């Protein structure tokens, strides 16, 4: 698990608002950037969990129960594209999919010819404890629940005054280090705050000091040379 500071969370919210994207889009974009850097792929799909209540279904607001859906979201990264342009494009492309988010994932996979992703991204948006409903009704006394997933890599983001992340690893990702992945995600978010107009190629998920270790310390090839000539040797 990882929780950002309240100050950094406020900065991310201000950045998202200022650039015309949602906080969910910003965090999802950072996660996609990280996966791209670690996998070496610039074109892939994420499984994105949605509430499922935007579908054009009559009286959907009166339906009680879970309508959660998982939709494949294609991510294409261009190295020379500014980060903020990538985020806006990603939000625009994902927004165009809203009318189709109610389609069963099994149908989408069948039409596509097989599984489309093995990572899951969830940005939770239900009210937290103590919040009132939109109509000013009774406050919620508590919110609790349990969930599971068969996907080997799942990220759950919980908004609030301090943005929180939960990472679930299994299968092919079981040997990965969860805290390290979350630390790299935090580093990508910090890079976005530092310069959201930098090109995508300029955002690296290196931890503090790691670039120096990789390019200098581990690449050190200098060896002492004995005094003398080739003949002496």
């Amino acid at each position: 698990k990882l929780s950002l500071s309240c100050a950094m969370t406020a900065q991310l919210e201000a950045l998202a608002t200022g650039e015309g994207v949602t906080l969910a889009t910003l965090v999802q974009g950072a996660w996609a950037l990280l996966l791209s850097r670690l996998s070496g792929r610039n074109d892939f799909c994420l499984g994105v969990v949605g509430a499922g209540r935007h579908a054009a279904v009559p009286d959907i607001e009166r339906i009680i129960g879970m309508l959660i859906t998982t939709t494949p979201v294609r991510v294409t990264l261009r190295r020379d594209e500014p980060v903020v342009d990538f985020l806006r494009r990603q939000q625009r492309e994902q927004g165009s999919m809203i009318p189709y988010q109610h389609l069963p994932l099994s149908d989408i996979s069948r039409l596509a010819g097989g599984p489309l992703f093995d990572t899951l991204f969830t940005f939770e948006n239900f009210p937290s404890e103590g919040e009132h409903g939109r109509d000013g009704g009774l406050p919620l006394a508590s919110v609790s629940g349990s969930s599971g997933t068969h996907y080997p890599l799942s990220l759950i983001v919980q908004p609030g005054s301090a943005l929180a992340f939960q990472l679930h690893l299994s299968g092919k990702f079981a040997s990965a280090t969860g805290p390290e992945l979350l630390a790299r995600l935090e580093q990508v978010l910090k890079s976005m705050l530092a310069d959201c107009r930098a090109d995508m190629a300029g955002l690296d998920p290196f931890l503090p000091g790691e670039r120096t270790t990789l390019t200098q310390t581990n690449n050190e090839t200098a060896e002492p040379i004995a005094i003398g000539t080739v003949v002496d040797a």
Side-chain angles (χ1 to χ4, degrees), residues 10 39 59 70 73 82 84 91 95-97 115 127 137 143 145 176 182:
S39 66
D59 295 326
T70 301
V73 173
V84 65
Q91 178 165 288
S96 67
M97 296 167 53
V143 177
L182 291 176

Side-chain angles (χ1 to χ4, degrees), residues 31-229:
W31 180 238
L33 264 169
L34 176 60
L35 294 180
S36 174
R37 290 292 187 272
L38 295 179
S39 66
R41 298 172 60 185
N42 293 326
D43 191 344
F44 56 93
C45 279
L46 287 175
V48 177
V49 177
R53 291 192 170 270
H54 296 291
V57 177
D59 295 326
I60 192 171
E61 68 278 1
R62 300 176 62 87
I63 298 176
I64 299 175
M66 300 283 282
L67 298 181
I68 289 177
T69 60
T70 301
T71 305
V73 173
R74 184 179 181 183
V75 180
T76 54
L77 294 101
R78 305 162 185 166
R79 294 182 60 83
D80 59 347
E81 182 178 30
V83 173
V84 65
D85 290 348
F86 161 70
L87 295 176
R88 290 169 179 165
R89 176 169 60 83
Q90 197 66 19
Q91 178 165 288
R92 185 171 61 253
E93 292 176 356
Q94 196 164 335
S96 67
M97 296 167 53
I98 291 178
Y100 313 102
Q101 286 181 342
H102 63 286
L103 296 176
L105 180 59
S106 57
D107 290 353
I108 298 175
S109 297
R110 186 180 66 255
L111 291 171
L116 294 170
F117 55 85
D118 52 12
T119 64
L120 205 64
F121 177 87
T122 305
F123 192 93
E124 297 185 342
N125 58 1
F126 54 77
S128 61
E129 294 185 16
E131 289 189 4
H132 289 72
R134 293 181 180 179
D135 57 355
L138 296 174
L140 296 174
S142 66
V143 177
S144 64
S146 60
S147 61
T149 172
H150 62 277
Y151 295 100
L153 177 60
S154 301
L155 178 68
I156 300 175
V157 186
Q158 298 171 314
S161 58
L163 204 60
F165 304 87
Q166 291 185 21
L167 193 63
H168 299 278
L169 303 167
S170 64
K172 67 178 73 174
F173 296 103
S175 60
T177 304
E180 179 181 313
L181 285 175
L182 291 176
R184 293 184 187 281
L185 176 59
E186 182 178 11
Q187 184 62 32
V188 172
L189 290 170
K190 287 180 177 179
S191 297
M192 287 183 170
L193 286 174
D195 187 4
C196 68
R197 285 171 172 73
D199 288 347
M200 299 287 284
L203 260 68
D204 290 319
F206 289 115
L207 301 177
E210 189 173 29
R211 180 184 288 275
T212 300
T213 300
L214 292 172
T215 60
Q216 298 181 27
T217 306
N218 293 349
N219 199 38
E220 179 58 61
T221 58
E223 289 290 341
I225 299 176
I227 299 176
T229 66

